[in-house]
Amino acid sequence: MSLSGKVCLVTGATRGIGKGIALQLGEAGATVYITGRTMDPKPGAAVGGSIKETIAEIEARGGRAIGVQCDHKKDEDVKRLFEQIQQEQNGRLDLLVNNAYSAVSYIFESIGKKFWELDVSAWDEVNNVGLRNHYICSVYASRMMVERGTGLIVNISSAGGLRYLFNVPYGVGKAAVDRLAGDMAVELKSRGVAAVSLWPGAVQTEEIMSNLSNMPPQQRRVFEQGETVEFAGKAIVALASTPVSSLLKDKTGRVLLTGDLADEYCLRDAGNRQVLSMRSLKFMLSHAGYSWLAGFVPTFPKANQTGFIMSLSGKVCLVTGATRGIGKGIAIQLGQAGAIVYVTGRTLEPVNSVKADGDVAAIGGSIKETVAEIKARGGQAIGVQCDHRNDEDVKQLFEQIEREQNGRLDLLVNNAFSAARAIAENRGKMFWEMSPDMWDEVNNVGLRNHYICSVYASRMMVERGTGLIINVSSGGGLSYLFNVPYGVGKAAFDRMAADMSIELKSRGVAVISLWPGAVQTEEALAVVAAADADPSRVTRPIDRRMLELFRRGETTDFVGKAVTALAAQPVSSLLASKTGRVLLTAELASEYGFSDVDGRTIVSMRSAAFLLEFYGFSRLSGLIPACIKVPFWLLPLMGLICLVTGATRGIGKGIALQLGEAGATVYITGRTMDPKPGAAVGGSIKETIAEIEARGGRAIGVQCDHKRDEDVKRLFEQIQQEQNGRLDLLVNNAYSAVRLISESMGKKFWELDVSAWDEVNNVGLRNHYICSVYASRMMVERGTGLIVNLSSPGGLRYLFNVPYGVGKAALDRMAGDFAVELKPRGIAAISLWPGAVQTEEIMSDLSKMPPRQRRMFEQGETVEFAGKAIVALASTPVSSLLKDKTGRVLLTGDLADEYGLRDAGGRQIQSMRSIRFMLEQAGFLRLARLVPTFVKVPRFFLAIMGSKF
C-alpha cells in the first residue's frame, strides 16, 4: 500500500498510538506532519517521547516527517498548525488523524473514583484536548479538504464510546468523538470527504507496558495478547490507501474496529501475529479466561444481536398449592417447558364429588391428577403432600428437595392459598362482623407460609448464587378487594417481594410479585355456572360485572405461561429490570409475545378500555386502544427539592411550572432576573416564580450564568445551605445556543467559526456535567435522587449542525455513564427526548415556516408536557427507576403512554416512534388515520438507525 505524495497530519504523535500511526504512514510514503508538546528528548523521563525522536524513527525507515510543536489545549497553537500546513502544502491535506490526548496520567491516577468525587476540572482535563480540540482540528482540516473535494478524517476512539470505561468524562468524550465522525460524515459526504471513528483493541503503549507487572492476571493477559502501537497505523494506512469514493460508500460515519479491518485488509501485527477483533467469540472466550474453549472456536464467528430461545430443561421448580387453579396451571406450563416440577397440596388422591353449584369445597383437584397431566405433556413432576399451615410439613418439603436435587432449586412459586371458601362464605360482611379468626384463615397460608417457604428456598438459592422467587398476588394489593384481611395480606405479600429483593439482589436471586387478572379457576367457573343456572341469585350490578369479567378472563395456563416466560429469562436480566416489582400477567404477555391457550389476547387490568368496560361503559371502551393505561403512580411531589436550570422560558419554564404545581419546592435559574418589556421572546426568573406561586407552588429563583463555573458553584452552595443538603431532582435544561443555531441554519461546520463548539456545548454539555457533579455529591450523601438531562433526537441522528448533534449524543451518553456510577448509590440518571415543542421562539416564527414543518409544531407538545413527564418520573420511587429506566433515553410520548399523560386540553401526544406520527409528518395524512397510535417502531430499530458500526 503506497501513500506516496499524500499529506497526512497525526496529532499527539510523540509516543503511543499516535507515534505508531505516524511511523506506518511515513513508511508507506506519506509526508507526515506530527504534533506534540515536547520537541526534544528528555533523558530519564518515565515514559518519554518527543517530536524529534518520532521524526528520527520515520526518517530511519525512509519516510518524511515534519514536526510542529503544538499544545492542543491552546486554540492559537492549533490555528497556526493548520496555517503552516496550508502554506507549505499549497492547501493540500489528505488525512487528519485526531489522536492527541492529554489525560492518560490523570485517568490512571483517578481510577476507582466516582465522577462526583473528582474535581469538576476533570471534564476539561479529559475532553478539552480529547474532544473539543478534535472538533477544532476537523474544522480547519475540512476547510482544506472541501476546497480540494477529497480527504479522510480518522478519530481515534475506543470501546469506551459504547460502554462505561474508566470514568464518566472519558466515556462521554469517546461517545461524542464517535458521534463527531457520524455527524461530520453527513455534512462532508457530498463534498467527497470521509470521516470515520477507529477503535483499537488493547494497545501495548509505553504507559501500559511499564505498569504490566502491577496488573491483575486477567488484565495483564489482555495486554500481553494486545496490539502493538503500530497496528492501528497499519489499519489507517489501509484506509488511506482505499479510494475515498469507496470509503464514502460503506465506511464514512461508522465506527471501525482495527481487528475487523485486519480481517478485511489481511493485516498482521508485528511478528506476523494475527490480531482478533474484539467482536470475535474467540477473543471474548480467551479474555474471559476460557482459553481452552477458545482454542476450538474459529476466529471468524463474531457476536451479533441475535437473542437465544431458552427452555427450562434441567431446572428445578417448586409450585405450592398446585392441585387446582392457578397453581396447577403454572405447574403444567413449567413441566411442559422441560422443568422438574415439585407440586404440593393437601389432597393426594382424586376426589370424585365435583358439584356445579359454586360450592368451593367440592371442586376437587389432587396431587396425583396434576402430576399425571404434567407427565401426559411430556414433563417431569414430583408430588409432595404438604399442609402449608403446618411448619413441620414445610420444613420437610424443602429438606426433600435439598436431598433429592443436591441443593438445587431454581424457582419457587408461592401460590398456596387456603381461604377461598372462607372468603366466599363471608362475602358482603364487614371485617368487624366476621370472626377474628378470619385473619389467620386468610394470612397463615397466604402470607406467613410464603415467608417461611421463601426463607428455606433462599438458603438454597443463595448457596448457588442464583434463583427466582415469584409471589402470586393480586390487585387486592393495591385497592380494597373481598375483605380487609385479604387486601392487607396481598399488600404485605407485594411488599415482601420488594424487601426480599433488596437483600437477595446482591446474591444473584430475583423476587417478583405477579398479578394475574380475573382467572378462570375451577371455583370461578363453578360460580359462573351457578349464576347462569339461576340468574335471580345475582342482584348487584357489581356482581354481574364480576361474573362477566371471569367469563372473559385468563385461563390458569395463561398465568403459567407468564411464570414460564420469567423463568426462561437469565436471572441477571431479571435483576436488572424486574426484581422487587409487581408485574401483571397481561403485560408480560405483551412483552414476551404470548397469548392465552385459545389464542385470545388478554387485556391488562391497567388498560383504560378494560376499566371502562368493567364499570359499564362498553361502547366507550371500544373506542380506546388497549395500550392506554392508568398509571401506577399517583403520588404528589410534596416535600421534594428540585432544581431546573434555564427556566425563564421554554421547556425549562414548563418543567418548573409542573413541578411546582405538583407540590415540589423548585429552584430555578436563568440570567435574567426582572422582566424586560418589549423583548422579542422575553422570560425572566421573577415571571416564572410568579406563575408557579399563582398555581399554589413554591419557587426560589437564583440568577446564574451557566457559562461561569463560579456562578454554578454558588448555586449549589445555596441549595446545600438552605435545604440542609437535600436535592431530590436535577433537571439539566440550560441552553444558550438557540440563536446561534437559528442564525447558522444551513451552514456546514467548517463554514462556522470554531467558537461555535463552545457556544453550543459549554452550557449545553460541559455545564450539565458540572451541575451533575455538585448535585450528585448531595444526592450520594442521602442515598437517593434523580438527574434528568434534556436532550433530543439530535442525539441519534444528524440535526441542525455538527456541534449540536455531538453535544446531544454526549448528553445521552452522560446519563448512561452517570447511571453506572450512581446506581449502587441509589440515584437514577435519565436522558429525556421531548418531541416538537411549542416554545416561545418557535411559535413566534410559526408563520414563516414551510407547511410541513409548521404542521409538526402545530401538533407538537406544549412546553409543559415535558414537565408532566418529569413529574411522573419524579413521582415514581427511585428504586423502580433504578430497575428499568436509569441510564436510558426516554421519549416524552412513550412516557405519556406509560403514565397516562395528556397535554393541555386533554390532547394526546403521539410518540415519535408512532407509525401514525411518522406518516403524518411525511404528509400521508389519509394513510395515517388508518393506523392506531399505539403501533410503534421498536426501540431496537432506533438503536439500529443510530448505529455507528
Side-chain angles (χ1 to χ4, degrees), residues 110 179 261 377:
S110 62
R179 178 57 187 270
L261 291 173
R377 299 193 188 193

Coordinates of all heavy atoms in Angstrom, one line a residue, residues 110 179 261 377:
S110 N -6.9 8.6 38.7 CA -8.3 8.7 39.3 C -9.1 7.4 39.2 O -10.3 7.4 39.4 CB -9.0 9.8 38.6 OG -9.2 9.5 37.2
R179 N -19.7 10.1 17.7 CA -20.8 10.9 17.1 C -20.2 12.0 16.2 O -20.8 12.3 15.1 CB -21.7 11.4 18.1 CG -22.8 12.2 17.6 CD -23.7 11.4 16.6 NE -24.7 12.3 16.0 CZ -25.9 12.5 16.5 NH1 -26.2 11.9 17.6 NH2 -26.7 13.3 15.9
L261 N -10.8 -4.5 10.5 CA -10.1 -4.1 9.3 C -8.9 -5.0 9.0 O -8.6 -5.2 7.8 CB -9.5 -2.7 9.6 CG -10.6 -1.5 9.7 CD1 -9.9 -0.2 10.1 CD2 -11.3 -1.4 8.3
R377 N -48.0 -34.4 29.3 CA -47.5 -33.4 28.3 C -46.0 -33.6 28.1 O -45.3 -32.7 27.6 CB -47.8 -32.0 28.8 CG -49.3 -31.7 28.9 CD -49.6 -30.3 29.1 NE -51.0 -30.0 29.3 CZ -51.5 -28.8 29.3 NH1 -50.7 -27.7 28.9 NH2 -52.8 -28.6 29.6

